[in-house]
Amino acid sequence: MSAIREPFSEGESLLHRLDPRGKVAAAAAFSVLVASSRTFATALTGLCLAVVAILCARLPWRKVAARLLVVNGFVLFLWLVLPFTYPGEVVWRWRWFAATREGLAAAGLITLKSNALLLGLIALVATVPLVDLGQALHRLRLPDKLCHLLLFTYRYLYVFEQEYQRLTQAMKIRGFRPRTDLHTYRSYAYLAAMLLVRSHDRAERVYQAMLCRGFQGRFYSLKEFSWQPRDRLFLATAGLSLLVLAGLEWLLPWTLGRTGGG
Amino acid sequence: MHISEGVLSPAVLAGGAALTAAGTAIGLKKLDYEAIPRVALLSAAFFVATLIHVPVGPVGLHLVLNGLMGLLLGWPAFPAILIALFLQALLFQFGGLTVLGVNTVTMAVPAVACFYLYRGLLRRGGTVAAAAAGACGATAILLSGLLVAAALLFTGEGFLTVARLVALAHLPVMAVEGVISLFVFQFLKKVRPEMLEGIYGPGSH
């Protein structure tokens, strides 16, 4: 079974049917706003917006939760370290551990922001199939070559993943057992190197095939993006919510305690 | 190592994004249309190679290989790493949109730096080249660790301990990457020396 999948890109929800260009633009604006927020009010509102978006996308919640768990590993690490090492007013003490108010606040704010950003990314960008995303980014005036690189890299991820599975299977059949020794490291290095060699050889063939088909530095897509009334509605709603976020951040900085960490 | 979303300050995020834009622009400029399939497929192979978990005692560390990526690609490693991290953010939600710039800098700057640092030694061949390849892999991770720590420190002085721990966590990875990079280099030199032409070529491509 493949480890690389796009579990969120398939679906029939309203959010899946929106034009990817609008979603990407909204996701970018949302991310910048939330990432630069310093107040709990903004971070919490951002998280609520992201949760609403996730609910609208009707994604399999188990998979979303699984992703959140993995990604919150770093946040957990911050919770274990930040409160006890951040300089500030001590609010809780046990043996030689002393937690500071500022440290707890910083960890809390990061947790909110981190999860808001992740959910936003899943709801707005991960719901676009990558091939469409490549085209959408191209329309949004990202450099040609960068979009080509993205689409090509994505296209061959799966090919090399299968190649990798095949090679590891071959190693297992020959009795390879990973241990902490030089033999293991050498074997894994050769495995990685073999993947690189295969990619080199395949790239040669791919390029020749492209030349045969008259490649002139341009990809043609059969996909037509169409801008619908619902996209206008989405963009208006998203714009309004983002204005609220910005207002919370800059017009009401005194609402809830400011923190210095963010 | 990826820094998660929501941790760094806006100034650090903006700085990372600006550096990534500049590095990517240079990388793309040095990249002909002809080379796009080669770079993209290598990038895909590197992406898959990072799925390999190498046992170190009781834990498994996954490969990074940014030093090798620098060796094989030179400046185009910048856009290639950017794409790989973007895909990781989308497919696995490691990292995200706003930290993409910083994460790219922490991986790609060491890659390009190692390319120029070790190119002279790698050309010599024999044991010197093998040792240089190992050092290249290790140095790239060391620099990555330092850059990640710097990004955290610039965010706030309260992150000092976090930054130290994160930098320390790079040390075992550094050792593993050094050994792996050495073997990969030796293998490529034997099996497909033309893949290393970026090192031996007259200028950087």
Side-chain angles (χ1 to χ4, degrees), chain A residues 147-195:
Chain A
C147 297
H148 289 177
L149 270 183
L150 173 68
L151 289 173
F152 258 119
T153 306
Y154 173 72
R155 161 72 178 80
Y156 285 97
L157 271 191
Y158 297 90
V159 174
F160 291 124
E161 211 236 339
Q162 275 172 14
E163 197 86 52
Y164 165 65
Q165 304 282 12
R166 225 182 354 255
L167 288 169
T168 38
Q169 206 168 32
M171 285 166 82
K172 273 186 202 147
I173 289 169
R174 286 160 181 78
F176 172 72
R177 268 172 206 280
R179 275 188 299 266
T180 306
D181 59 12
L182 210 57
H183 171 70
T184 303
Y185 292 172
R186 190 188 296 126
S187 310
Y188 275 134
Y190 289 173
L191 168 61
M194 204 55 219
L195 279 174

Coordinates of all heavy atoms in Angstrom, one line a residue, chain A residues 147-195:
Chain A
C147 N 6.2 25.8 -11.7 CA 5.0 25.0 -11.9 C 5.3 23.7 -12.6 O 4.8 22.6 -12.2 CB 3.9 25.8 -12.6 SG 3.4 27.2 -11.7
H148 N 6.2 23.7 -13.6 CA 6.5 22.5 -14.3 C 7.2 21.6 -13.3 O 6.9 20.4 -13.3 CB 7.5 22.8 -15.4 CG 6.9 23.5 -16.6 ND1 7.5 23.9 -17.7 CD2 5.6 23.9 -16.8 CE1 6.7 24.5 -18.5 NE2 5.5 24.5 -18.0
L149 N 8.1 22.1 -12.5 CA 8.9 21.3 -11.5 C 7.9 20.6 -10.6 O 8.0 19.4 -10.3 CB 9.8 22.2 -10.7 CG 11.2 22.3 -11.2 CD1 12.0 23.2 -10.2 CD2 11.9 21.0 -11.4
L150 N 6.9 21.4 -10.1 CA 5.9 20.9 -9.1 C 5.1 19.7 -9.8 O 5.0 18.7 -9.2 CB 5.0 22.0 -8.7 CG 3.8 21.5 -7.8 CD1 4.3 21.1 -6.5 CD2 2.7 22.6 -7.7
L151 N 4.6 20.0 -11.0 CA 3.8 18.9 -11.6 C 4.6 17.7 -11.9 O 4.2 16.6 -11.7 CB 3.2 19.5 -12.9 CG 2.1 20.5 -12.6 CD1 1.6 21.1 -13.9 CD2 0.9 19.9 -11.9
F152 N 5.8 17.9 -12.4 CA 6.7 16.7 -12.7 C 7.1 16.0 -11.5 O 7.0 14.7 -11.4 CB 8.0 17.2 -13.3 CG 8.0 17.0 -14.8 CD1 8.2 18.1 -15.7 CD2 8.0 15.8 -15.4 CE1 8.2 18.0 -17.0 CE2 8.0 15.6 -16.7 CZ 8.1 16.7 -17.6
T153 N 7.5 16.7 -10.4 CA 7.9 16.0 -9.2 C 6.7 15.2 -8.6 O 6.9 14.0 -8.3 CB 8.3 17.1 -8.1 OG1 9.3 17.9 -8.7 CG2 8.9 16.4 -6.9
Y154 N 5.5 15.8 -8.6 CA 4.4 15.1 -8.1 C 4.1 13.9 -8.9 O 3.8 12.8 -8.4 CB 3.2 16.1 -8.1 CG 1.9 15.4 -7.7 CD1 1.7 15.0 -6.4 CD2 0.9 15.1 -8.7 CE1 0.5 14.4 -6.1 CE2 -0.2 14.5 -8.3 CZ -0.4 14.1 -7.0 OH -1.5 13.4 -6.7
R155 N 4.1 14.0 -10.3 CA 3.8 12.9 -11.2 C 4.7 11.7 -10.9 O 4.3 10.6 -10.9 CB 4.0 13.4 -12.6 CG 4.2 12.3 -13.6 CD 2.9 11.6 -13.9 NE 3.1 10.6 -14.9 CZ 3.6 9.4 -14.7 NH1 4.0 9.1 -13.5 NH2 3.7 8.5 -15.7
Y156 N 6.0 12.0 -10.5 CA 6.9 10.8 -10.4 C 7.1 10.4 -8.9 O 7.7 9.4 -8.7 CB 8.2 11.1 -11.1 CG 8.1 11.0 -12.6 CD1 7.8 12.2 -13.3 CD2 8.0 9.8 -13.2 CE1 7.6 12.1 -14.7 CE2 7.8 9.7 -14.5 CZ 7.6 10.8 -15.3 OH 7.3 10.7 -16.6
L157 N 6.5 11.1 -8.0 CA 6.5 10.6 -6.6 C 6.0 9.2 -6.5 O 6.7 8.4 -5.9 CB 5.6 11.5 -5.7 CG 6.1 12.7 -5.1 CD1 5.1 13.2 -4.1 CD2 7.4 12.5 -4.5
Y158 N 4.9 8.9 -7.1 CA 4.3 7.6 -7.0 C 5.1 6.6 -7.7 O 5.2 5.4 -7.2 CB 2.8 7.7 -7.5 CG 2.0 8.6 -6.8 CD1 1.9 10.0 -7.1 CD2 1.3 8.2 -5.6 CE1 1.2 10.9 -6.3 CE2 0.6 9.1 -4.9 CZ 0.5 10.4 -5.2 OH -0.2 11.3 -4.5
V159 N 5.7 6.9 -8.8 CA 6.5 6.0 -9.6 C 7.7 5.6 -8.7 O 8.0 4.4 -8.5 CB 7.0 6.6 -10.9 CG1 8.0 5.7 -11.5 CG2 5.9 7.0 -11.8
F160 N 8.3 6.5 -8.1 CA 9.5 6.2 -7.3 C 9.1 5.6 -5.9 O 9.9 4.8 -5.4 CB 10.4 7.4 -7.1 CG 11.1 7.8 -8.4 CD1 10.9 9.1 -8.8 CD2 11.8 6.9 -9.1 CE1 11.5 9.5 -10.0 CE2 12.3 7.3 -10.3 CZ 12.2 8.5 -10.8
E161 N 8.0 5.9 -5.5 CA 7.5 5.2 -4.3 C 7.4 3.7 -4.5 O 7.7 2.9 -3.7 CB 6.2 5.8 -3.8 CG 6.1 5.8 -2.3 CD 4.9 5.1 -1.8 OE1 4.0 5.0 -2.6 OE2 4.9 4.6 -0.6
Q162 N 6.8 3.4 -5.7 CA 6.6 2.0 -6.0 C 8.0 1.3 -6.2 O 8.2 0.2 -5.8 CB 5.8 1.8 -7.3 CG 4.3 1.8 -7.0 CD 3.5 1.9 -8.2 OE1 4.0 1.7 -9.3 NE2 2.2 2.2 -8.1
E163 N 8.9 2.1 -6.9 CA 10.2 1.6 -7.1 C 10.9 1.3 -5.7 O 11.5 0.2 -5.5 CB 11.0 2.7 -7.8 CG 12.3 2.2 -8.4 CD 12.1 1.7 -9.8 OE1 11.4 2.4 -10.6 OE2 12.5 0.6 -10.1
Y164 N 10.7 2.2 -4.8 CA 11.2 2.0 -3.4 C 10.7 0.8 -2.7 O 11.4 0.0 -2.1 CB 10.9 3.3 -2.6 CG 11.1 3.2 -1.1 CD1 12.3 3.0 -0.6 CD2 10.0 3.4 -0.3 CE1 12.4 2.9 0.8 CE2 10.1 3.3 1.1 CZ 11.3 3.1 1.6 OH 11.5 3.0 3.0
Q165 N 9.3 0.6 -2.9 CA 8.7 -0.6 -2.3 C 9.3 -1.9 -2.9 O 9.6 -2.8 -2.2 CB 7.2 -0.6 -2.5 CG 6.5 0.6 -2.1 CD 6.2 0.6 -0.6 OE1 6.8 -0.2 0.1 NE2 5.4 1.5 -0.1
R166 N 9.5 -1.8 -4.2 CA 10.1 -3.0 -4.9 C 11.5 -3.3 -4.4 O 11.8 -4.4 -4.1 CB 10.1 -2.8 -6.4 CG 9.6 -3.9 -7.1 CD 9.6 -3.9 -8.6 NE 9.9 -2.6 -9.3 CZ 9.0 -1.8 -9.8 NH1 7.8 -2.1 -9.8 NH2 9.5 -0.7 -10.4
L167 N 12.3 -2.3 -4.2 CA 13.7 -2.4 -3.8 C 13.7 -2.9 -2.3 O 14.5 -3.8 -2.0 CB 14.4 -1.1 -3.9 CG 14.8 -0.7 -5.3 CD1 15.3 0.7 -5.4 CD2 15.8 -1.6 -6.0
T168 N 12.9 -2.4 -1.5 CA 12.9 -2.9 -0.1 C 12.4 -4.3 0.0 O 12.9 -5.1 0.8 CB 12.0 -2.0 0.9 OG1 10.9 -1.6 0.2 CG2 12.7 -0.8 1.3
Q169 N 11.4 -4.6 -0.8 CA 10.9 -6.0 -0.9 C 12.1 -7.0 -1.3 O 12.3 -8.0 -0.6 CB 9.8 -6.1 -1.9 CG 8.9 -7.2 -1.6 CD 7.6 -7.1 -2.4 OE1 7.7 -6.6 -3.5 NE2 6.5 -7.5 -1.9
A170 N 12.8 -6.5 -2.3 CA 13.9 -7.4 -2.7 C 15.0 -7.5 -1.6 O 15.5 -8.6 -1.4 CB 14.6 -6.7 -3.9
M171 N 15.2 -6.5 -0.8 CA 16.1 -6.6 0.3 C 15.6 -7.5 1.3 O 16.4 -8.3 1.9 CB 16.4 -5.2 0.9 CG 17.2 -4.2 0.1 SD 17.1 -2.5 0.6 CE 18.3 -2.5 2.0
K172 N 14.3 -7.4 1.6 CA 13.8 -8.3 2.7 C 13.9 -9.8 2.3 O 14.2 -10.6 3.1 CB 12.3 -7.9 2.9 CG 12.1 -6.9 3.9 CD 10.7 -6.6 4.3 CE 10.5 -5.2 4.8 NZ 9.2 -4.7 4.5
I173 N 13.6 -10.0 1.0 CA 13.6 -11.4 0.5 C 15.0 -12.0 0.6 O 15.2 -13.2 0.9 CB 13.1 -11.5 -1.0 CG1 11.6 -11.2 -1.0 CG2 13.5 -12.8 -1.6 CD1 11.1 -11.0 -2.4
R174 N 16.0 -11.1 0.5 CA 17.4 -11.6 0.7 C 17.8 -11.6 2.1 O 19.0 -11.6 2.4 CB 18.3 -10.7 -0.2 CG 18.2 -11.0 -1.7 CD 18.7 -9.9 -2.6 NE 18.5 -10.3 -4.0 CZ 17.3 -10.2 -4.6 NH1 16.2 -9.8 -4.0 NH2 17.3 -10.5 -5.9
G175 N 16.9 -11.4 3.0 CA 17.2 -11.6 4.5 C 17.8 -10.4 5.1 O 18.4 -10.4 6.2
F176 N 17.5 -9.2 4.5 CA 18.0 -7.9 5.2 C 17.2 -7.6 6.4 O 16.0 -7.5 6.3 CB 18.0 -6.8 4.1 CG 18.3 -5.4 4.7 CD1 19.6 -5.1 5.1 CD2 17.3 -4.5 5.0 CE1 19.9 -3.9 5.7 CE2 17.6 -3.3 5.5 CZ 18.9 -3.0 5.9
R177 N 17.9 -7.4 7.5 CA 17.3 -6.9 8.7 C 18.0 -5.7 9.2 O 19.2 -5.7 9.5 CB 17.4 -8.0 9.8 CG 16.2 -8.9 9.8 CD 16.4 -10.0 10.8 NE 15.6 -11.1 10.3 CZ 14.3 -11.3 10.6 NH1 13.7 -10.3 11.2 NH2 13.6 -12.3 10.1
P178 N 17.3 -4.5 9.3 CA 17.9 -3.3 9.7 C 18.4 -3.4 11.2 O 17.7 -3.8 12.0 CB 16.8 -2.2 9.6 CG 15.5 -3.0 9.5 CD 15.8 -4.3 8.9
R179 N 19.7 -3.0 11.4 CA 20.2 -2.9 12.7 C 21.1 -1.7 12.8 O 21.2 -0.9 11.8 CB 21.2 -4.2 12.9 CG 20.5 -5.4 13.4 CD 21.5 -6.5 13.8 NE 22.3 -6.8 12.6 CZ 22.0 -7.9 11.8 NH1 21.0 -8.6 12.1 NH2 22.8 -8.2 10.8
T180 N 21.6 -1.4 13.9 CA 22.5 -0.2 14.0 C 23.9 -0.6 13.7 O 24.7 -0.9 14.6 CB 22.4 0.4 15.4 OG1 21.0 0.6 15.7 CG2 23.2 1.7 15.5
D181 N 24.2 -0.8 12.4 CA 25.6 -1.1 12.1 C 25.9 -0.6 10.7 O 25.0 -0.2 10.0 CB 25.8 -2.6 12.2 CG 24.9 -3.5 11.3 OD1 24.3 -2.8 10.4 OD2 24.9 -4.7 11.5
L182 N 27.2 -0.7 10.3 CA 27.6 -0.2 9.1 C 27.0 -0.9 7.9 O 26.7 -0.2 6.8 CB 29.1 -0.3 9.0 CG 29.8 0.8 8.2 CD1 29.4 2.2 8.7 CD2 31.3 0.7 8.2
H183 N 26.7 -2.2 8.0 CA 26.1 -2.9 6.9 C 24.8 -2.3 6.6 O 24.4 -2.1 5.4 CB 26.0 -4.4 7.3 CG 25.2 -5.2 6.3 ND1 25.7 -5.4 5.0 CD2 24.0 -5.7 6.3 CE1 24.8 -6.1 4.3 NE2 23.7 -6.3 5.1
T184 N 24.0 -2.1 7.6 CA 22.6 -1.5 7.4 C 22.7 -0.2 6.7 O 22.0 0.1 5.8 CB 21.9 -1.3 8.8 OG1 21.9 -2.6 9.4 CG2 20.5 -0.8 8.6
Y185 N 23.7 0.7 7.2 CA 23.8 2.0 6.6 C 24.2 1.9 5.2 O 23.7 2.7 4.3 CB 24.8 2.9 7.4 CG 24.2 3.2 8.8 CD1 25.1 3.8 9.8 CD2 22.9 2.9 9.2 CE1 24.6 4.1 11.0 CE2 22.5 3.2 10.5 CZ 23.3 3.8 11.4 OH 22.8 4.1 12.6
R186 N 25.1 1.0 4.9 CA 25.6 0.9 3.5 C 24.4 0.4 2.6 O 24.2 1.0 1.5 CB 26.7 -0.1 3.4 CG 27.4 0.0 2.0 CD 28.4 -1.1 1.8 NE 29.6 -0.9 2.7 CZ 30.0 -1.9 3.5 NH1 29.4 -3.1 3.6 NH2 31.0 -1.7 4.3
S187 N 23.6 -0.5 3.1 CA 22.5 -1.1 2.3 C 21.5 0.0 2.1 O 21.0 0.2 0.9 CB 21.9 -2.2 3.0 OG 22.8 -3.1 3.5
Y188 N 21.2 0.8 3.1 CA 20.2 1.9 2.9 C 20.7 3.0 1.9 O 20.0 3.5 1.1 CB 19.8 2.5 4.2 CG 18.7 1.8 4.9 CD1 18.8 1.5 6.3 CD2 17.6 1.4 4.2 CE1 17.8 0.8 6.9 CE2 16.5 0.7 4.9 CZ 16.6 0.4 6.2 OH 15.6 -0.3 6.9
A189 N 22.0 3.2 2.1 CA 22.6 4.2 1.2 C 22.5 3.8 -0.3 O 22.2 4.5 -1.2 CB 24.1 4.5 1.6
Y190 N 22.8 2.4 -0.5 CA 22.7 1.9 -1.9 C 21.3 2.0 -2.3 O 21.0 2.2 -3.5 CB 23.3 0.5 -1.9 CG 24.8 0.5 -1.8 CD1 25.5 -0.7 -1.7 CD2 25.6 1.6 -1.8 CE1 26.9 -0.8 -1.6 CE2 26.9 1.6 -1.6 CZ 27.6 0.4 -1.5 OH 28.9 0.4 -1.4
L191 N 20.4 1.7 -1.4 CA 18.9 1.8 -1.8 C 18.6 3.2 -2.3 O 18.0 3.4 -3.3 CB 18.1 1.4 -0.6 CG 16.6 1.7 -0.6 CD1 15.9 0.9 -1.7 CD2 15.9 1.3 0.7
A192 N 19.0 4.2 -1.5 CA 18.7 5.6 -1.9 C 19.4 5.9 -3.2 O 18.8 6.6 -4.1 CB 19.2 6.6 -0.8
A193 N 20.7 5.5 -3.3 CA 21.5 5.8 -4.5 C 20.8 5.1 -5.7 O 20.8 5.7 -6.8 CB 22.9 5.3 -4.3
M194 N 20.3 3.9 -5.5 CA 19.6 3.2 -6.7 C 18.4 4.0 -7.1 O 18.1 4.1 -8.3 CB 19.3 1.8 -6.2 CG 19.1 0.8 -7.3 SD 20.6 0.8 -8.3 CE 19.9 0.6 -9.9
L195 N 17.7 4.6 -6.1 CA 16.5 5.4 -6.5 C 17.0 6.6 -7.3 O 16.3 6.9 -8.3 CB 15.8 5.9 -5.2 CG 14.9 5.0 -4.5 CD1 14.4 5.6 -3.2 CD2 13.7 4.7 -5.4

